Amino acid sequence: MTVSSRTQVGIVGAGPAGLLLSHLLALRGVDSIVVENRSRAYCEARQRAGLLEAGSVELLRQVGLGARMDAEGLEHGGIYLQFAGERHHLDFRDLTGGRWVTIWAQTEIVKDLIRTRLADGGAIEFEVSDTEVADPDSDSPVLRYTDAAGNRHEVTCDAIAGCDGFHGICRHSLPAGLLRVADREYPYAWLGILATVPPSTDELIYSRHADGFALHTMRTPQVSRLYLQVPADDEIERWSDDRIWAELRHRLGVPGWELATGPITEKAISPMRSFVAAPMQYGRLFLAGDAAHIVPPTGAKGLNLAIADVTVLATALVNLLRDHDPRAAKEYSDTCLRRVWRATHFSWWMTSMLHIDPYADEFGAELQLSQLRYVISSRAAATTLAENYTGYLPLRW
Ligand code: FAD
Ligand code: DHB
């Protein structure tokens, strides 16, 4: 038996994009349902991004999601860039007229969003299967799924938002031949760890080392997060905790500085790619976040882009469904793609400047070092990095 129902917006995926979209829509009186194929516990524990642009922070505050972030998030006014054995500081506040970023983990944003949506009576179905999208080019697209108890559902919607990440189904629901894809694979990956040890630095350290990139970031004053460049085909079983700490110490080390170590509570290897699918819309099916685009993590743009997409999308859907004004919905893809391509360029640039390309020759290595020297010695070059890192045009809500 199939259970039929109706809502205004069907949202596939309870990651940051889908959850924030349903929250923003609810603030403007638009109903939605979020369907998610994982459990609530899994969504809340999945270790991913941790750095928010100033604009993302301001948006979360504006929509009532700032309390815990403001109490527990860590505001940073710069980063360290390390290469050729020396560590240099970039002061974002000075370079950009006061801009900053905040360390606030994606897990915490997701927890706050799920709790808020459920407290407000929002519909989130976890552990669904066989999600399908039908009739995206009609005024009544249909979302089908099987709930955790095995019941099949058919939800008639006014619009569907594909917020189902890179491996989701929504992107593939656009007609074959419509979607154009631009992508790059990188010949390396990131090994990321979470460790119960106070960070050994006040701000993030991005280190280009001849043996590979390393990044020291953090989650709280008690928890550090660190990343190591590893070969694209490496396996986590080859990395004992001792080997990870030794390599981090080696790649992050400078005279007079010590890396504190502690128990590793999580470790995983993530591939790195750039991927942009366009258009991000077909009829009344809209793609947002990782469902439409992926950036390599260097520079921390993925989560911020997801937040930006759904802020644009929520306004477009409110205009379309409540005010019967389709203009912002028609422009959705073009509006988002301008920011997406800026972030795609920045992430590619940061990645290429800081990682050791196994296929590069001395020419490539010298170009990287020259670029890094330019960034730390030219105010114009440093400002370019700082502007991109701290974020783009403010999000309008
Ligand atoms: P997701 O967070 O991927 O959410 C999509 C949701 O859809 C998931 O919950 C998924 O289970 C669900 N879903 C998928 N298919 C279906 C289906 N068929 N039916 C129902 N639900 C479905 N960004 C940074 O800025 N810094 C980082 O350090 C960083 N590290 C990362 C590490 C990893 C391993 C990954 C994968 C990403 C990382 N990112 C990082 C990127 C950032 O986390 C993402 O950009 C962000 O999660 C995008 O949010 P989203 O909601 O679009 O997608
Ligand atoms: C983090 C990840 C990044 O890729 C980055 O550039 C900065 C911070 C993080 O996980 O905190």
Side-chain angles (χ1 to χ4, degrees), residues 48-52 79 102-105 190 204 206 213 215-219 225-227 296-302 346 350 389:
R48 285 187 170 179
L51 190 133
L52 293 178
I79 56 168
T102 293
I103 288 286
W104 181 238
W190 271 18
L204 274 54
Y206 289 81
F213 171 73
L215 170 62
H216 189 335
T217 173
M218 60 196 74
R219 289 292 173 265
R225 180 132 173 98
L226 298 108
Y227 298 99
T298 335
K301 288 296 171 205
F346 177 65
M350 286 284 279
Y389 196 100

Side-chain angles (χ1 to χ4, degrees), residues 9-13 17-19 21-22 25 32-35 143 160-161 163:
V9 182
I11 300 175
V12 186
L19 291 166
L21 177 63
S22 91
L25 291 173
S32 66
I33 180 172
V34 179
V35 300
L143 174 63
I160 293 181
C163 303

